[in-house]
Amino acid sequence: MKKVLSCIQPTGDMHFGNYFGAVKNWVDLQSDYNCVYGVVDYHSMTMPYKPKKLRENTWSLIFNLLAVGIKPENLFIQSLIPEHAELCWIFNCFTSYGHLQRMTQFKDKSSQSSEKDSGFISAGLLDYPVLQAADILIYHADYVPVGKDQEQHLELSRAIAQRFNNQVGKEYFVLPECLFTETPKILSTADPSRKMSKSAGEKHYINVFAEEARIRKQIKSAVTDTGDTPKGEISAGIKNLFELLKACGKSEAHDSLLADYTNGSLKYVDLKETVANALVELNTQFSNKRNELMSNKKEIKNQIKQSSFEIRQRAQQTVKEVKDLTGLVNVRF
Ligand code: TRP
């Protein structure tokens, strides 16, 4: 079976944009591939953060991922596997400084943080993609399901793997590839000209684990027509509601409401109600699961520590082989 790896930063709430755009795909891939998924808390230290919040968000994300169907044995917490950081150091010495400076995400984030934090830009932010390469290569992953924004980071991972292989004279690392799956792009219901995202503020995303009433309210107040849609086209807001309905697996309701739209008989309240019901159905299922997991909080946390420990053995094996190949002193000297 081919190996799949992906990781996600612990940053608070999981919204339907994250779920339909990425996490649902991770859940589905588990039946066809050998998958490991990481919550990457080391990565979250690259930008200013609060220690208590980081730990809280890490566990909260673990519970969210388990609630939507990630299998516990496939899930790890990055900082419980310090070999990621160790391999990152070794990879630093196989990475060109100029290549890191040219990364788009570094340029974006460093300009953001220089505005906010009196010019402080951590070296971790520059090094971020090398740690990401370590996350991927340490498990010899064949495929990495990510969004288009991560393509450049994957290219860097391949460049590091290639340089390493050339220098040690052995095809040791697999060159990982992006796995782009067609996933729905969900927009903000409050402003369908932008993506659903947390950075724009609370009304721009619908939390997967929100109270039912809040979801209904957010859909009820979704922007539909803004009056500037060219004739014969569906407005971005309406298109987004149809997209959500399809993403929820309600294709029959989707097709019949779309037919109503086409013949001019669709009432937006009906569309909104159907979308709200579909989201609430998923929300109820996931929230119930999450509550069940939370009532065994301690056990579940131990289970994830155990799975991280087991996944760690694979990482340790890689680091041991890398030490042999790179001339570092190994345990058996
Ligand atoms: N950089 C990724 C993001 O911002 C998160 C990430 C860290 C990642 N390590 C990874 C993704 C390894 C895929 C594989 O989304």
Side-chain angles (χ1 to χ4, degrees):
M1 245 203 266
K2 291 278 188 188
K3 295 190 195 112
V4 161
L5 168 133
S6 200
C7 299
I8 185 170
Q9 282 198 51
T11 52
D13 295 341
M14 178 190 288
H15 59 67
F16 279 105
N18 304 134
Y19 175 68
F20 290 127
V23 180
K24 180 174 187 296
N25 186 35
W26 290 14
V27 173
D28 297 342
L29 287 168
Q30 294 178 120
S31 23
D32 298 318
Y33 296 93
N34 179 348
C35 298
V36 273
Y37 299 119
V39 171
V40 288
D41 48 355
Y42 281 147
H43 275 98
S44 293
M45 302 173 78
T46 55
M47 295 288 272
Y49 73 97
K50 301 236 172 358
K52 186 163 170 269
K53 199 81 205 149
L54 174 59
R55 194 174 295 124
E56 254 173 47
N57 284 346
T58 299
W59 283 117
S60 170
L61 181 55
I62 290 285
F63 282 90
N64 292 349
L65 290 169
L66 293 172
V68 302
I70 300 292
K71 295 182 188 155
E73 65 272 24
N74 294 342
L75 197 53
F76 70 87
I77 295 176
Q78 188 187 34
S79 65
L80 290 177
I81 310 184
E83 285 73 15
H84 285 236
E86 188 175 1
L87 187 60
C88 173
W89 173 258
I90 297 172
F91 281 171
N92 278 330
C93 306
F94 290 80
T95 307
S96 133
Y97 171 62
H99 198 159
L100 293 181
Q101 277 184 314
R102 288 193 299 275
M103 302 304 271
T104 321
Q105 190 173 314
F106 171 69
K107 287 196 262 182
D108 290 351
K109 288 203 177 174
S110 57
S111 60
Q112 269 173 38
S113 58
S114 58
E115 280 160 29
K116 276 194 237 148
D117 305 287
S118 54
F120 179 79
I121 297 164
S122 76
L125 191 62
L126 180 72
D127 207 32
Y128 178 113
V130 184
L131 181 58
Q132 179 164 353
D135 298 337
I136 299 168
L137 299 178
I138 208 164
Y139 302 111
H140 306 284
D142 300 288
Y143 300 119
V144 185
V146 279
K148 284 270 177 207
D149 63 321
Q150 294 298 313
E151 203 166 9
Q152 215 184 17
H153 287 166
L154 259 289
E155 259 163 42
L156 180 81
S157 300
R158 282 194 295 274
I160 293 173
Q162 211 140 29
R163 190 175 176 83
F164 183 95
N165 290 351
N166 285 343
Q167 296 218 343
V168 304
K170 187 177 173 185
E171 293 301 304
Y172 178 70
F173 282 116
V174 180
L175 305 190
E177 280 174 45
C178 294
L179 192 66
F180 296 127
T181 311
E182 259 318 305
T183 53
K185 301 276 169 290
I186 305 299
L187 307 174
S188 156
T189 51
D191 176 3
S193 69
R194 62 202 307 167
K195 271 196 338 189
M196 181 174 284
S197 93
K198 273 174 290 204
S199 52
E202 285 205 339
K203 63 174 185 181
H204 292 286
Y205 69 91
I206 304 177
N207 182 352
V208 172
F209 300 95
E211 294 286 324
E212 171 177 342
R214 177 164 169 84
I215 296 184
R216 293 197 182 275
K217 193 162 156 238
Q218 281 184 286
I219 295 297
K220 209 173 208 165
S221 56
V223 171
T224 50
D225 284 334
T226 44
D228 53 5
T229 311
K231 245 192 149 26
E233 278 182 32
I234 308 185
S235 73
I238 295 292
K239 222 190 251 168
N240 192 38
L241 290 173
F242 275 114
E243 191 73 26
L244 275 168
L245 199 52
K246 201 155 68 186
C248 291
K250 304 288 180 196
S251 37
E252 259 176 52
H254 171 274
D255 294 353
S256 100
L257 288 166
L258 192 60
D260 292 349
Y261 179 86
T262 314
N263 69 31
S265 69
L266 177 71
K267 292 200 197 73
Y268 289 166
V269 280
D270 294 339
L271 173 63
K272 285 183 171 180
E273 176 150 333
T274 315
V275 172
N277 287 343
L279 290 178
V280 165
E281 194 180 312
L282 281 180
N283 157 264
T284 309
Q285 180 195 328
F286 295 156
S287 299
N288 287 346
K289 181 74 191 168
R290 196 180 196 282
N291 291 339
E292 183 192 313
L293 295 164
M294 287 298 281
S295 65
N296 286 320
K297 206 166 171 177
K298 211 165 162 206
E299 257 168 61
I300 302 295
K301 282 187 168 185
N302 276 332
Q303 196 177 9
I304 294 303
K305 286 179 193 160
Q306 185 58 30
S307 67
S308 301
F309 178 78
E310 269 155 36
I311 293 170
R312 183 177 182 193
Q313 323 255 327
R314 292 169 51 190
Q316 281 176 322
Q317 180 62 28
T318 302
V319 167
K320 185 172 149 295
E321 289 163 2
V322 164
K323 284 181 147 184
D324 277 338
L325 289 166
T326 50
L328 292 163
V329 175
N330 232 330
V331 203
R332 310 166 274 104
F333 43 78

